Amino acid sequence: DKLPGGVYGTSITLEKALDPSQDVILAYLYNGKLLTPDHGFPVRLIVPGYIGGRMIKWLTNIDLQAVESQDYYHFYDNRVLP
């Protein structure tokens, strides 16, 4: 869905995403049951240690890019570090 600043998107580094010690996951189950729409059905990204805005609900695609996301919401609304 379109938002006032465009489609929502954000980014984390590939190093973070692939590091087994960071526990970044794509979740489709919660306590053994499919996620509900309120919790991000069909798939949600969980990124421990990051602001909630980086834990995308209703994930539709993953793009690999050489640079950090320039998405409006990532750049202006989710600039809390890391």
Side-chain angles (χ1 to χ4, degrees), residues 23-54:
D23 294 327
V24 175
I25 61 171
L26 294 174
Y28 63 96
L29 296 174
Y30 179 73
N31 292 332
K33 297 181 181 176
L34 290 176
L35 290 173
T36 63
D38 286 347
H39 292 103
F41 176 84
V43 177
R44 179 181 186 159
L45 177 67
I46 305 294
V47 187
Y50 275 58
I51 188 170
R54 301 267 175 103

Side-chain angles (χ1 to χ4, degrees), residues 12-80:
I12 62 172
T13 65
L14 186 59
E15 180 181 23
K16 170 83 173 178
L18 296 179
D19 184 343
S21 70
Q22 298 298 311
D23 294 327
V24 175
I25 61 171
L26 294 174
Y28 63 96
L29 296 174
Y30 179 73
N31 292 332
K33 297 181 181 176
L34 290 176
L35 290 173
T36 63
D38 286 347
H39 292 103
F41 176 84
V43 177
R44 179 181 186 159
L45 177 67
I46 305 294
V47 187
Y50 275 58
I51 188 170
R54 301 267 175 103
M55 297 190 212
I56 305 297
K57 291 182 177 180
W58 315 291
L59 186 65
T60 59
N61 64 296
I62 297 174
D63 298 321
L64 298 180
Q65 301 177 165
V67 297
E68 181 179 23
S69 173
Q70 294 301 303
D71 181 271
Y72 174 88
Y73 294 98
H74 173 76
F75 197 70
Y76 294 105
D77 288 349
N78 287 332
R79 290 305 286 180
V80 175

